[in-house]
Amino acid sequence: QVQLVESGGGSVQSGGSLRLSCAASAYTHSFYCMGWFRQAPGKEREGVAVIDSNGSTSYADSVKGRFTISQDNAKNTLYLQMNSLRPEDTAMYYCAADRACYYDGSGHIRILEGLFGYWGQGTQVTVSS
């Protein structure tokens, strides 16, 4: 059974940085597609960033230039480096994985919750102003 376990969340002031990690119980390269999603109180879960096994990435417009997704197959771990954090980044962050990515007509990976079948339990990120 595949398990995804997130860590690295916490409280930080606006402008600060955090790095989230997602440890997978299976080889990360067995998941062609991995990503990060987040859900703020009272809001729907939204996609943040995804990466495929070739290293291609896609980001939500709200985090472009501030967040970086990466993976280390040797450690079976997915990362999300978050810089220049803002109060609106406050949310529960979830790691997700699936055996396939889906691409739009421009070749960008689609960041859609329904396309991912495996999920972690989440790690809380709180950014204060």
Side-chain angles (χ1 to χ4, degrees):
Q1 183 176 356
V2 174
Q3 287 188 323
L4 302 173
V5 180
E6 303 94 336
S7 62
S11 297
V12 64
Q13 289 192 328
S14 182
S17 298
L18 284 173
R19 188 176 80 155
L20 305 183
S21 299
C22 172
S25 61
Y27 294 116
T28 53
H29 61 252
S30 70
F31 293 115
Y32 188 80
C33 205
M34 298 191 74
W36 290 96
F37 290 75
R38 67 186 182 185
Q39 186 168 21
K43 295 187 177 181
E44 294 185 351
R45 190 152 55 183
E46 63 175 356
V48 176
V50 294
I51 186 169
D52 70 16
S53 63
N54 293 321
S56 295
T57 59
S58 287
Y59 295 90
D61 288 343
S62 59
V63 306
K64 282 180 181 177
R66 301 188 298 122
F67 291 10
T68 302
I69 188 171
S70 62
Q71 59 187 8
D72 185 335
N73 288 333
K75 296 182 178 179
N76 297 333
T77 303
L78 178 73
Y79 301 100
L80 184 68
Q81 178 66 44
M82 305 186 295
N83 298 328
S84 301
L85 282 161
R86 304 167 180 168
E88 54 264 39
D89 295 317
T90 295
M92 184 71 78
Y93 282 72
Y94 298 90
C95 171
D98 209 277
R99 305 197 187 281
C101 276
Y102 296 87
Y103 301 82
D104 63 19
S106 300
H108 299 113
I109 309 171
R110 299 178 67 189
I111 313 175
L112 293 176
E113 177 180 355
L115 299 178
F116 288 84
Y118 300 94
W119 292 85
Q121 294 300 307
T123 185
Q124 178 67 39
V125 171
T126 302
V127 184
S128 58
S129 57

